[in-house]
Amino acid sequence: MTNMKQRLRNLFRRNKMRTRATTVPNKKESPEPAKQEEPSKKSGKQDASKQEPPKEEEPEKPAKDVEVEIIPMPPAEGEMPTYFHVGALAKDCLINGFKIGAWQMQCTTKTDSDFYLSTFGEGYPTMTSVFGGMEVFKEVGIYSTSLGWFTNNDLLSEIGVRGMNFGSRLYGLLKSTIGTKDEVTFQTKLKCGLERDPVKVELVVPLYNEPLFLGYVLVAPVENWVLGYRTQYNCDEKGFDKHALCLGYNNGRTEVGLKLENFEDLRGSIFQRIGEAWAFAIKANLYSSENVKQFAIGLQYDFQNGTMVKAKLREDSRLGFVYQSKIGKNIDVGYHLAFDAADPIGGAHRIGVSWGFHC
């Protein structure tokens, strides 16, 4: 059975998080604006001999896209992990719940005819910057189909199939997006995968108006260890945007992940459980070609009844806390508080609340 909570996560990630406003300052900006010289008040004309020829402006380099961290659900019994499961426990400890914005609400209902109706909305980063949508999902045997509508006037349809053949797990998902905001646009791509222990391959193939070809291959040579390679090819620019290698270890209590991107940036993470309730995580840029120093340290306590408390400290002294719990069987709640540890009173503050209803 498809995990509907994961589907809502995917809807947020695909349609909002890549383009929504950010509260992270741009580190490439200079700390002080450049001072402009005042024009001379003595004469309205400039001496042509002293006037310097205009300098050609260098084209601005596009800002490096900030990749949205994908936090997958644990693999089902008998399924191999994906490329994104490398470091997943550390990401869940350090990211999940800390980016819910001012408010977030999700609701999933199953009808008598086995249709799933999902609605969601959020205010990020403020109360009034609203984004949301709804989706109808139906699963029949090995087939599934869905249709979603979003407040940015996008329609998203998916048709999927999965099954087993000679010990291999095969799946495919045709995704199409229709934009109707300014003019009607259409995009479609095919996500497909093959899994046969110890190898898993997944591809995203552009079919129409989609520029990126994505894919990864994952190998589990021995128990608890995985090796992977991921690539991204831009069909419009006829070149590769990304090459990434990963190495992961996970035995349920200890998790170590390493990812090398474009042979330039090396990131690592560690997650360690201490007893049944406590755990800590560290995630850091070990080496960056742009000398970007980023790290996060987190600690969590699991009350073993659906309630968890987490704390995180970033390299810029940003301190955050998350409280997540279950109210009854089908209601999840989460609260987030963040502030600058270096200036708790005068620094920026952020408070967020998240509610999820699943029935």
Side-chain angles (χ1 to χ4, degrees):
M1 181 61 66
T2 300
N3 189 299
M4 298 309 297
K5 185 176 181 181
Q6 177 67 7
R7 288 192 60 80
L8 286 177
R9 273 189 185 177
N10 291 339
L11 289 175
F12 269 112
R13 184 177 71 245
R14 284 196 304 259
N15 297 279
K16 181 60 177 178
M17 295 184 69
R18 290 179 297 182
T19 57
R20 70 185 185 181
T22 178
T23 56
V24 180
N26 186 355
K27 297 186 177 182
K28 293 184 179 180
E29 294 179 356
S30 58
E32 296 182 0
K35 296 181 179 180
Q36 297 181 353
E37 295 183 0
E38 296 182 0
S40 175
K41 298 180 181 179
K42 295 182 180 179
S43 172
K45 297 181 180 180
Q46 292 183 340
D47 188 348
S49 62
K50 295 181 179 181
Q51 185 177 1
E52 296 181 358
K55 295 181 180 179
E56 295 182 0
E57 295 184 357
E58 296 181 0
E60 294 184 359
K61 296 181 179 179
K64 190 174 182 180
D65 291 337
V66 179
E67 183 178 356
V68 176
E69 291 279 11
I70 299 175
I71 308 175
M73 299 294 289
E77 185 177 356
E79 288 187 354
M80 288 183 61
T82 70
Y83 174 93
F84 305 102
H85 279 91
V86 175
L89 294 178
K91 289 190 289 187
D92 186 71
C93 176
L94 296 170
I95 297 176
N96 192 23
F98 290 96
K99 296 182 179 293
I100 59 178
W103 62 270
Q104 178 175 297
M105 186 171 293
Q106 305 173 356
C107 181
T108 301
T109 303
K110 184 180 180 181
T111 68
D112 293 337
S113 54
D114 292 336
F115 278 90
Y116 286 91
L117 304 177
S118 302
T119 58
F120 62 93
E122 69 169 357
Y124 186 100
T126 65
M127 291 285 291
T128 57
S129 53
V130 178
F131 173 84
M134 63 178 297
E135 183 198 39
V136 180
F137 175 82
K138 175 70 172 180
E139 196 170 42
V140 181
I142 63 173
Y143 301 98
S144 64
T145 182
S146 70
L147 179 64
W149 172 84
F150 306 96
T151 53
N152 61 357
N153 292 326
D154 281 354
L155 296 173
L156 176 67
S157 69
E158 295 183 351
I159 301 174
V161 61
R162 61 175 59 238
M164 295 287 292
N165 187 11
F166 301 107
S168 300
R169 190 184 303 271
L170 305 169
Y171 55 92
L173 187 64
L174 182 66
K175 301 183 179 183
S176 301
T177 303
I178 301 175
T180 61
K181 185 175 183 180
D182 299 321
E183 59 180 353
V184 177
T185 60
F186 180 74
Q187 297 172 288
T188 184
K189 58 187 176 182
L190 174 65
K191 178 180 179 181
C192 53
L194 166 65
E195 176 183 328
R196 186 180 179 89
D197 197 10
V199 179
K200 185 169 187 172
V201 180
E202 188 169 279
L203 301 174
V204 178
V205 182
L207 299 180
Y208 184 75
N209 274 350
E210 286 281 358
L212 299 181
F213 176 90
L214 309 171
Y216 72 80
V217 57
L218 192 80
V219 181
V222 294
E223 186 178 5
N224 301 330
W225 289 89
V226 293
L227 298 168
Y229 168 75
R230 183 185 178 206
T231 188
Q232 177 174 303
Y233 182 81
N234 193 313
C235 298
D236 290 345
E237 299 180 1
K238 309 298 183 184
F240 287 92
D241 292 339
K242 174 178 289 188
H243 297 283
L245 300 171
C246 74
L247 171 65
Y249 172 80
N250 185 357
N251 64 3
R253 299 192 62 84
T254 301
E255 176 197 76
V256 179
L258 288 173
K259 290 187 177 180
L260 176 64
E261 296 185 355
N262 292 334
F263 307 103
E264 295 178 336
D265 302 322
L266 179 63
R267 296 183 289 128
S269 65
I270 297 174
F271 177 89
Q272 178 63 58
R273 298 191 187 277
I274 305 173
E276 296 299 323
W278 289 96
F280 74 88
I282 302 173
K283 197 170 185 292
N285 282 7
L286 303 178
Y287 175 79
S288 173
S289 59
E290 299 180 358
N291 199 27
V292 176
K293 300 184 184 301
Q294 292 181 328
F295 71 85
I297 302 173
L299 184 69
Q300 69 182 36
Y301 182 85
D302 191 346
F303 289 88
Q304 307 296 319
N305 60 357
T307 299
M308 183 180 293
V309 177
K310 302 193 292 186
K312 180 178 75 170
L313 177 65
R314 295 192 323 202
E315 79 285 345
D316 58 357
S317 75
R318 190 74 171 169
L319 183 62
F321 298 91
V322 167
Y323 172 85
Q324 56 191 43
S325 183
K326 294 183 71 68
I327 301 179
K329 181 180 179 181
N330 300 317
I331 303 177
D332 302 325
V333 298
Y335 303 96
H336 170 221
L337 169 66
F339 56 89
D340 294 328
D343 187 5
I345 305 299
H349 300 79
R350 183 168 157 191
I351 299 175
V353 57
S354 173
W355 286 71
F357 303 88
H358 313 279
C359 55

